[in-house]
Amino acid sequence: MLHFFENVEKWFGSLHVLAGVSGEVKRGEVTVVLGPSGSGKSTLIRAVTRLEPIQRGRILIGDVDVASRNVKINRLRQRIGFVFQAYNLFPHLTALGNITLGLERLRRIPRAEAKERAIQELARVGLADKADTLPAKLSGGQRQRVAIARALAMDPEIMLFDQPTSALDPEKGGEVLQVMKTLAKSGMTMIVVTHEKGFAREVADTVWFMDEGKIAESGAPGLVFGAPEHPRLKQFLARDGDH
């Protein structure tokens, strides 16, 4: 199954944040979105779940047009896992409680079954021993891994990551990236907005470089990093000593 962006346009007032973005994401593949701050990366993936409405174009998740007036937003969001930069965990719920809440309320799964599923997902991200721990007692990397487990528990068709390691130190960020690498190997369809070029080189099937609200260059990591064509991409790579 393909997921499409087709001539997607978005304005914030007079600011043209997405200026005709088109691209496809294939099932089982990882698309990594790179680009300077303000290039539209996060806005693009937030638009997939209608956290940001678009003004023109289409976003298709499988056969569902996200921007359609008829789309059932809550049902759509159950098909999409979203991992935010700032975790967005409920502070009063344990790691286990953060995961079971959606399973019980949205999926109507009985409590015992939801708990069993939540424990499985915590084990998948290496946190089975933290089930009864509140977010305040977890490190940033552990919180982010709980957020990933929560998204995975809903059995999504596609996972979206919005700069999941940008608030973490390299060690904790590395823990999160390792979980994401394992997910990629399992065949999970993923769109990852990140500044982690090493992750993009190693894990991405396709890299999109965004600049001024457009995909300025796209291709396999070897081409995008090894033989960049767009001047802004060359500048972006050279600035961080990557090229």
Side-chain angles (χ1 to χ4, degrees), residues 20-121:
V21 176
S22 294
E24 66 177 42
V25 176
K26 294 177 183 173
R27 184 176 183 179
E29 292 197 352
V30 178
T31 300
V32 172
V33 187
L34 298 173
S37 296
S39 57
K41 308 182 299 295
S42 292
T43 302
L44 182 67
I45 64 164
R46 287 172 66 84
V48 175
T49 56
R50 290 265 288 261
L51 289 170
E52 295 290 355
I54 61 173
Q55 275 87 40
R56 287 187 196 154
R58 293 199 306 162
I59 299 173
L60 294 175
I61 295 298
D63 56 353
V64 174
D65 183 353
V66 168
S68 166
R69 289 181 181 178
N70 301 321
V71 76
K72 293 179 171 61
I73 294 177
N74 286 337
R75 192 173 294 175
L76 169 76
R77 288 176 179 166
Q78 286 181 44
R79 296 174 62 178
I80 302 166
F82 202 121
V83 178
F84 297 86
Q85 181 178 339
Y87 328 125
N88 288 18
L89 299 177
F90 293 106
H92 63 290
L93 296 177
T94 62
L96 189 76
N98 265 281
I99 299 170
T100 57
L101 184 68
L103 292 171
E104 290 181 53
R105 290 197 180 173
L106 298 174
R107 286 288 170 89
R108 308 289 183 193
I109 292 174
R111 178 161 293 183
E113 191 182 328
K115 185 176 178 181
E116 188 178 329
R117 178 66 190 268
I119 290 169
Q120 286 174 359
E121 295 302 345

